[in-house]
Amino acid sequence: MTTVTRVRRRRPALALACAGALALGAAACGDSGSGGDAEPASAVPASAPFYAEIAVNPGGDVQSDAEAALRKILGTEDVGAEIERLVKSSGDAPSDEEWEDFKRTKRIGFFFTSLDGQEPQGAAVIAVDGIDDVDLDTDGRQKRTYKDVDYWVDGDGDVTAKVEDFVVAGTEGGLRTVVDTLEGDDVETMDDNDAYEDGLEQLGAEDPLASAYVNVEGLVNAIARSGGLPNDVVGQIREQLEQGTGATSVVAVSANAERIAFGVLGQGTAQGSGAAGDATAALQGLPGGAWLAVGLPGLGESLRTSLQQALQVASAGGEDVAGQMQAIEQALGINVQDDLLSWMGDAGLFAQGTTVADVGGALVVQSTDPATSTAAVGKLRRVIRQAVTGARPRPLTTVSGADAGFEIQTAQLPFPIIVAAAGDRFVVGLGAPAVEAALSPQTTLGDTEAYKTAAGQLEDGVTPGLFVDLSAIGAFAKGLGLDGDAQGAQALQYLDRFGAIIAGSQDEGGTQRSQLVVTLK
């Protein structure tokens, strides 16, 4: 007889270990068995404000794809044995019986429907292979019955029960919700929730390894009823919802032999939210040697909005913060809006170098007014000299190709901080090689094979805004000597099995779709 619920209660480290491994595709925690086809989503009402599901041993393509990913990550063909070895070597290793019990678990769903005294009313719904063989841990528990379903309650009020094809563990209210959902006529479940199901489809993960659904308005209502937030805060959140910041969100995790993908879909978002610009173009135009690159659309607009919001908050106390800022600008001889923000278009941030000697990076801003951005270099040099004690900006002599520039050497950094402009590019960087590459790149990131391969793993319509070359980071770590001990060498060995991280988004028709992909070699 199996003791699944005892594993859940006594060995949280085991569940966490497998859940963490699952995020990397660890559906292969055990061999897939027959039966156990029940879906936890069918036992949870569609009205639940929060639902999450983890596939532990789902079988089929989901499991085979996850095993393909794990074979690359773990560097072995027998991924089940390797995961078992890793889990059993942990500080809270399960017994052989507990491990075999856990391997019978197919899927686990988590939900809550309400908050009572800031404690969620909900449960874990566990689909187990062979429900008739499950032996619940009833020691020291009180037996109760609800609609002919027997369940057991411990001293903390936690309950366990077998309900049709599931083991249910959670609060008493959560258990009753599961029973009502399964035994009710025409009750809509999470399987019927269009926002959840459509969200998974749009994320390209109809049958994911892990997923989550949040009904933001329902969540806010649940918190409001519990008294967990002040009424004015609840009102502000509802106002944001009415303005279209996102009514529901869906999260999905999937894996195959080429990638691990994390997707988020916000539905009911305001159309055209975010700064106008092209983060992907800014990203692709960064130097080809970058191992970290971020695209920042409409930097000037974003900074202007943030500054205005900060001034509004600071002025709420009745002080003339805007007037104080204007006085400071006059004293320093610079106008933040006209001299700086007005010409800032899209921007990119990058880091490069594989050794301490050549590491560096820069912020690269596309200027919409090269004359003004070039003039800003001199104004910034004067402001730094006046406002920063001990700063001694000096003429730029270490970088070729700049129309204007200066550098500041500090005791804290082995290379100078450089501000430079050339044509329609304005750069603030660390180290001369990085600044030269930013001003006039010999190759661009968009032309590199590593970037193209990673970008090809994003879903159609998702445009990249972040790129991390994990291979280059591994080389940099080795250059620092981080592989000098057994633990570091093993960590870098795992890192070598990954290719890159790429992330992007798509904003269309009130739907914000974001995706982060980790490629596998």
Side-chain angles (χ1 to χ4, degrees), residues 301-394:
E301 178 187 347
S302 297
L303 292 176
R304 184 185 307 110
T305 300
S306 299
L307 180 60
Q308 290 173 346
Q309 292 174 344
L311 289 175
Q312 290 173 359
V313 172
S315 300
E319 295 187 21
D320 184 14
V321 180
Q324 295 174 5
M325 181 174 176
Q326 186 176 14
I328 294 173
E329 288 180 330
Q330 290 177 349
L332 295 176
I334 193 170
N335 183 292
V336 173
Q337 168 58 36
D338 294 341
D339 294 332
L340 297 178
L341 304 184
S342 65
W343 50 264
M344 291 186 179
D346 299 332
L349 184 68
F350 76 94
Q352 67 174 29
T354 56
T355 67
V356 175
D358 64 3
V359 71
L363 172 69
V364 186
V365 184
Q366 190 73 23
S367 173
T368 59
D369 185 350
T372 303
S373 57
T374 300
V377 174
K379 293 184 178 182
L380 284 172
R381 180 181 179 185
R382 184 173 63 250
V383 167
I384 292 173
R385 186 186 297 114
Q386 291 178 250
V388 182
T389 303
R392 294 289 183 269
R394 62 191 187 212

Side-chain angles (χ1 to χ4, degrees), residues 287 350 352 357-361 398-399 415-416 418 430-439:
F350 76 94
Q352 67 174 29
D358 64 3
V359 71
T398 56
V399 174
F415 30 68
I418 298 173
L430 297 175
V435 173
E436 284 190 354
L439 291 174

Side-chain angles (χ1 to χ4, degrees), residues 29 32 44 103 165 228 242 245 257 303 342 376 380 451 475 479 514:
C29 274
S32 59
V44 178
K103 287 166 65 174
D165 296 321
E242 292 175 359
T245 57
L303 292 176
S342 65
L380 284 172
Y451 173 84
S514 303

Side-chain angles (χ1 to χ4, degrees), residues 472-490:
I473 290 180
F476 180 62
K478 290 177 182 177
L480 294 176
L482 298 184
D483 59 345
D485 56 45
Q487 187 175 6
Q490 184 179 36

Side-chain angles (χ1 to χ4, degrees), residues 32-38 57-59 104-107 127-131 165:
S32 59
S34 60
D37 294 330
N57 296 293
R104 296 165 63 91
T105 301
K106 310 298 286 184
R107 295 177 183 269
V128 182
D129 190 6
I131 189 68
D165 296 321

Side-chain angles (χ1 to χ4, degrees), residues 135-485:
D135 184 12
L136 297 179
D137 183 7
T138 61
D139 294 344
R141 298 185 175 216
Q142 180 185 4
K143 181 180 178 180
R144 297 178 186 175
T145 302
Y146 177 71
K147 292 186 177 181
D148 296 326
V149 174
D150 295 333
Y151 63 96
W152 286 261
V153 187
D154 68 10
D156 296 325
D158 297 329
V159 306
T160 56
K162 290 195 293 184
V163 186
E164 295 190 6
D165 296 321
F166 306 100
V167 172
V168 180
T171 66
E172 196 162 7
L175 169 68
R176 294 186 176 195
T177 296
V178 172
V179 174
D180 291 341
T181 301
L182 289 171
E183 296 188 0
D185 294 330
D186 300 325
V187 176
E188 290 194 350
T189 69
M190 288 304 300
D191 277 338
D192 306 312
N193 187 315
D194 290 339
Y196 177 47
E197 295 298 324
D198 291 348
L200 293 178
E201 183 177 354
Q202 291 186 56
L203 290 172
E206 291 85 346
D207 192 7
L209 283 171
S211 64
Y213 165 81
V214 180
N215 182 318
V216 182
E217 185 175 6
L219 183 62
V220 172
N221 290 338
I223 295 174
R225 287 192 298 269
S226 73
L229 286 176
N231 290 334
D232 58 337
V233 175
V234 173
Q236 292 175 10
I237 295 175
R238 285 187 172 135
E239 183 179 346
Q240 291 295 317
L241 290 175
E242 292 175 359
Q243 294 175 1
T245 57
T248 63
S249 294
V250 177
V251 179
V253 181
S254 60
N256 57 35
E258 295 181 329
R259 69 174 192 175
I260 304 165
F262 305 81
V264 180
L265 187 80
Q267 302 175 76
T269 60
Q271 296 189 38
S273 59
D278 192 339
T280 300
L283 181 76
Q284 293 176 341
L286 292 172
W291 45 258
L292 169 65
V294 182
L296 305 170
L299 181 62
E301 178 187 347
S302 297
L303 292 176
R304 184 185 307 110
T305 300
S306 299
L307 180 60
Q308 290 173 346
Q309 292 174 344
L311 289 175
Q312 290 173 359
V313 172
S315 300
E319 295 187 21
D320 184 14
V321 180
Q324 295 174 5
M325 181 174 176
Q326 186 176 14
I328 294 173
E329 288 180 330
Q330 290 177 349
L332 295 176
I334 193 170
N335 183 292
V336 173
Q337 168 58 36
D338 294 341
D339 294 332
L340 297 178
L341 304 184
S342 65
W343 50 264
M344 291 186 179
D346 299 332
L349 184 68
F350 76 94
Q352 67 174 29
T354 56
T355 67
V356 175
D358 64 3
V359 71
L363 172 69
V364 186
V365 184
Q366 190 73 23
S367 173
T368 59
D369 185 350
T372 303
S373 57
T374 300
V377 174
K379 293 184 178 182
L380 284 172
R381 180 181 179 185
R382 184 173 63 250
V383 167
I384 292 173
R385 186 186 297 114
Q386 291 178 250
V388 182
T389 303
R392 294 289 183 269
R394 62 191 187 212
L396 184 61
T397 59
T398 56
V399 174
S400 60
D403 298 331
F406 64 88
E407 59 185 23
I408 303 172
Q409 187 70 54
T410 66
Q412 292 75 26
L413 293 173
F415 30 68
I417 301 172
I418 298 173
V419 178
D424 61 0
R425 288 199 168 205
F426 178 91
V427 176
V428 179
L430 297 175
V435 173
E436 284 190 354
L439 291 174
S440 181
Q442 299 300 308
T443 61
T444 60
L445 183 63
D447 292 329
T448 64
E449 197 60 36
Y451 173 84
K452 291 178 181 178
T453 299
Q457 292 296 326
L458 292 173
E459 294 292 324
D460 291 343
V462 176
T463 56
L466 167 71
F467 172 77
V468 183
D469 188 339
L470 296 175
S471 298
I473 290 180
F476 180 62
K478 290 177 182 177
L480 294 176
L482 298 184
D483 59 345
D485 56 45

